[in-house]
Amino acid sequence: MAIEIERKFLINGEGWRNLGTGVRYRQGYIRTENKTTVRVRVAGDKGYLTMKALAEGSAGIHRLEYEYPIPREDAEEMLEHLCDRPQIDKIRYRVNWKGTLWEIDEFSGENEGLIVAEVELADANQAIALPDWVGEEVSEDARYFNAYLAQHPYTQWENEN
């Protein structure tokens, strides 16, 4: 069983910006009737199909995750014909900081203005040093999950209250 343990943080300032190179990601979601997420992603020149769900008996940072490479052309067609709108468009930067790989997503389109840093852990209790550009932790706030952002874009949050 594949378990993803991930913490998410908002970003403070621009101190991260020159630490890594970015790759454009486009992703969409195929509607399901349960709490499983089916994601189609194009990352650079690669395509992926991913299924995610909360691990039984857990909440927050533990999720089941199964990801498979697919031809980019298939992913492009799925994004066009099978996935709901709006979709996620972002630049992902990979930053190695003190031995830990951080993935920083700078969103555009419907989620313009949102920048989130993620770090995957081997264990939920793994200690990590937080860079000075990392701000508030939002790991257990479902609004920052990409699947939520696809249905409730960041630029519309003020209008949802």
Side-chain angles (χ1 to χ4, degrees):
M1 181 178 340
I3 299 284
E4 173 188 60
I5 303 170
E6 180 180 81
R7 291 177 64 189
K8 291 180 182 263
F9 300 84
L10 297 179
I11 293 291
N12 284 332
E14 299 287 319
W16 61 274
R17 196 163 289 279
N18 295 321
L19 301 177
T21 57
V23 172
R24 182 176 182 216
Y25 279 54
R26 290 183 311 116
Q27 60 194 51
Y29 295 87
I30 299 172
R31 191 177 317 256
T32 64
E33 295 298 320
N34 58 27
K35 294 185 180 195
T36 300
T37 301
V38 178
R39 177 183 72 204
V40 176
R41 173 183 276 172
V42 172
D45 62 352
K46 297 179 176 12
Y48 299 93
L49 183 63
T50 307
M51 280 82 44
K52 290 186 179 190
L54 284 177
E56 189 173 322
S58 73
I61 66 174
H62 294 83
R63 290 187 291 172
L64 299 173
E65 180 182 58
Y66 303 93
E67 183 168 78
Y68 305 97
I70 60 174
R72 179 187 173 164
E73 295 78 19
D74 290 357
E76 294 277 2
E77 285 183 24
M78 289 178 188
L79 284 169
E80 180 66 27
H81 301 292
L82 301 179
C83 295
D84 293 336
R85 301 286 190 279
Q87 296 179 352
I88 300 293
D89 198 348
K90 62 188 179 182
I91 303 293
R92 173 165 284 177
Y93 300 85
R94 295 183 189 277
V95 173
N96 281 301
W97 196 82
K98 295 193 177 183
T100 302
L101 177 63
W102 290 82
E103 294 178 334
I104 301 168
D105 291 339
E106 182 174 22
F107 292 85
S108 57
E110 298 281 329
N111 291 292
E112 182 82 33
L114 179 61
I115 305 175
V116 177
E118 303 175 347
V119 60
E120 286 197 25
L121 308 174
D123 178 280
N125 297 317
Q126 178 180 336
I128 55 170
L130 299 180
D132 59 1
W133 38 263
V134 164
E136 176 187 357
E137 183 166 6
V138 294
S139 299
E140 297 190 26
D141 187 340
R143 294 177 305 159
Y144 294 96
F145 293 176
N146 285 288
Y148 182 90
L149 291 167
Q151 293 180 357
H152 308 276
Y154 181 72
T155 56
Q156 297 174 11
W157 285 10
E158 275 188 21
N159 299 330
E160 290 184 358
N161 294 333

